[in-house]
Amino acid sequence: MDCIFCKIIAGEIPSKKVYEDDTVYAFYDIAPQAPVHILVIPKEHVLSCAREIGAEHGALIAHIYEVMARLARELGLEGGYRVVTNAGEDAGQTVLHLHFHMLAGGQLGAMA
Ligand code: AMP
């Protein structure tokens, strides 16, 4: 599969890793939209888009949010953070491997 995030997980494309476990990988976005911009993704290419999420993915999605909360504590993001998932063309999704943007590091602007 020609997926840039799968290549990052496989180590074929370099990334700035911030967290990894059996099911989840987190790394800094190459084009940050906030002082801290981390992408949190499932290691397996289980879904291309959040539009495909079903009840069977509940444990995975909960784990991803748990990882983000842990990262916020570890990175000292006491002020909070924003989680964004672009789902589909209208939202501007460019990479078809489920991912969550974690934005933080200061007062964030209003959402579109
Ligand atoms: P989206 O537009 O929601 O699909 O988000 C895809 C994100 O992946 C964008 O914010 C890109 O900047 C980011 N991105 C693309 N290629 C890389 C890469 N090689 N390393 C880190 N982030 C990347």
Side-chain angles (χ1 to χ4, degrees):
M1 190 183 294
D2 194 25
C3 169
I4 190 168
F5 286 175
C6 285
K7 288 180 180 167
I8 284 174
I9 290 161
E12 294 165 16
I13 292 175
S15 66
K16 277 183 70 183
K17 179 174 85 172
V18 279
Y19 177 86
E20 179 176 18
D21 63 25
D22 288 347
T23 55
V24 169
Y25 190 82
F27 56 106
Y28 285 102
D29 196 293
I30 203 168
Q33 303 298 310
V36 177
H37 186 169
I38 293 167
L39 295 170
V40 186
I41 66 176
K43 275 186 167 175
E44 264 191 60
H45 194 118
V46 279
L47 299 173
S48 298
C49 178
R51 291 185 291 192
E52 300 160 6
I53 292 174
E56 67 272 28
H57 305 113
L60 173 65
I61 304 301
H63 181 54
I64 285 171
Y65 273 82
E66 185 192 2
V67 166
M68 289 191 282
R70 184 187 312 182
L71 280 174
R73 285 192 298 275
E74 289 176 0
L75 298 174
L77 304 174
E78 292 92 359
Y81 58 94
R82 177 179 293 161
V83 180
V84 172
T85 303
N86 295 319
E89 308 77 16
D90 284 359
Q93 183 179 4
T94 57
V95 178
L96 298 180
H97 179 132
L98 180 67
H99 56 280
F100 295 81
H101 298 259
M102 184 176 174
L103 303 157
Q107 187 66 57
L108 301 171
M111 289 192 286

